[in-house]
Amino acid sequence: MSMQVSEENEWLSRWREGRIGFHRDAVHPALARFWPTLGAPSGAKVLVPLCGKSLDMRWLAEQGHPVLGIELATDAIEQFLAEGDGEVSRYHAGDFDICRQGSVELWGGDFFHFHIKQAAEVGAFYDRGALIALPQATRQRYAFHLAQLLPPGARGLLISLTRGGDVNVGPPFSVPAEEVRELFEPNFELTHLADGEPEANGFRESVWALKRRGPMA
Ligand SMILES: C[S@@+](CC[C@H](N)C(=O)[O-])C[C@H]1O[C@@H](n2cnc3c(N)ncnc32)[C@H](O)[C@@H]1O
């Protein structure tokens, strides 16, 4: 099942019109602080779902991790490539148009169409701005799909957002700690690492380390 056409169109128009307040001009401090503590093997390929044109992907690549970002909006992918250095190679696999620059591969298409066979080399993940971009019903599918793509033992960093008020309004959506646990605990060991300071928009970040559980005995 893919995402609703209206949701997809809304993301595409946001990118077309430059309504991308979620994009950061610097590497996320929680990534630099906590990634080294996760225990992700050096050289593990990092899956970055709903990646936008995040500079965090370049940081991960600089740490020696090949990166596999998945992003719906061609505009985001083209901007990422134009703002980077190096030749771009382009190819196609399944439902995806893929661009590679250095050790960053960007898969253009719907994350929910990304198949485990295409994730063969993935060994870690990074979610900033992915879970909280999705409405509640889709978040369940997201957590399940992500788990299917990761091998036992895979580590990941999740940066979620919470705020008071109507949790059904978004994106960004508020995803409180209880929901993070409910969504991921069936398939991951979770450690709550930190909470950010309250932001002007009422949101507060919460940072989590995840480890994909092994197969049940
Ligand atoms: C809130 S933004 C976060 C982007 C990035 N992670 C960051 O931190 O800047 C969410 C991104 O997910 C993309 N997106 C939304 N639904 C998607 C889907 N089903 N598959 C792939 N990308 C999707 C949007 O186009 C948007 O760029």
Side-chain angles (χ1 to χ4, degrees), residues 23-89:
H23 178 71
R24 297 175 56 96
D25 290 329
V27 172
H28 197 296
L31 175 65
R33 177 170 169 206
F34 291 113
W35 186 268
T37 70
L38 288 184
S42 60
K45 188 184 260 196
V46 182
L47 176 66
V48 185
L50 286 66
C51 62
K53 59 167 183 171
S54 171
L55 297 175
D56 297 344
M57 294 191 282
R58 293 201 202 287
W59 185 89
L60 285 163
E62 283 161 15
Q63 312 311 305
H65 293 288
V67 172
L68 193 164
I70 306 181
E71 170 56 51
L72 203 59
T74 310
D75 284 333
I77 293 178
E78 293 304 329
Q79 287 177 30
F80 179 89
L81 298 170
E83 290 164 13
D85 287 327
E87 281 193 17
V88 177
S89 50

Side-chain angles (χ1 to χ4, degrees), residues 16-214:
R16 204 166 41 242
E17 295 158 15
R19 289 186 285 121
I20 54 164
F22 51 81
H23 178 71
R24 297 175 56 96
D25 290 329
V27 172
H28 197 296
L31 175 65
R33 177 170 169 206
F34 291 113
W35 186 268
T37 70
L38 288 184
S42 60
K45 188 184 260 196
V46 182
L47 176 66
V48 185
L50 286 66
C51 62
K53 59 167 183 171
S54 171
L55 297 175
D56 297 344
M57 294 191 282
R58 293 201 202 287
W59 185 89
L60 285 163
E62 283 161 15
Q63 312 311 305
H65 293 288
V67 172
L68 193 164
I70 306 181
E71 170 56 51
L72 203 59
T74 310
D75 284 333
I77 293 178
E78 293 304 329
Q79 287 177 30
F80 179 89
L81 298 170
E83 290 164 13
D85 287 327
E87 281 193 17
V88 177
S89 50
R90 295 173 188 268
Y91 45 104
H92 193 83
D95 290 340
F96 292 88
D97 290 315
I98 305 157
C99 302
R100 166 188 283 279
Q101 187 178 50
S103 52
V104 179
E105 277 168 47
L106 297 178
W107 288 52
D110 185 344
F111 172 67
F112 295 101
H113 290 183
F114 188 73
H115 194 271
I116 183 151
K117 284 190 202 135
Q118 296 164 316
E121 293 162 17
V122 166
F125 75 95
Y126 174 59
D127 172 336
R128 183 265 167 183
L131 179 71
I132 58 85
L134 301 168
Q136 189 172 31
T138 317
R139 292 199 288 274
Q140 292 218 331
R141 287 174 51 216
Y142 171 83
F144 182 74
H145 191 59
L146 183 63
Q148 300 316 300
L149 298 173
L150 296 165
R155 315 294 170 115
L157 190 69
L158 165 68
I159 303 177
S160 181
L161 285 176
T162 55
R163 73 160 173 206
D166 187 350
V167 293
N168 294 315
V169 176
F173 293 96
S174 176
V175 187
E178 310 81 70
E179 186 184 332
V180 170
R181 291 195 185 281
E182 266 170 38
L183 287 171
F184 292 101
E185 238 157 21
N187 290 308
F188 294 89
E189 289 169 26
L190 272 97
T191 310
H192 182 217
L193 296 174
D195 284 321
E197 295 299 318
E199 294 167 19
N201 59 7
F203 278 98
R204 187 170 192 179
E205 289 181 332
S206 69
V207 187
W208 300 77
L210 279 76
K211 181 180 169 195
R212 178 75 166 98
R213 292 185 198 280

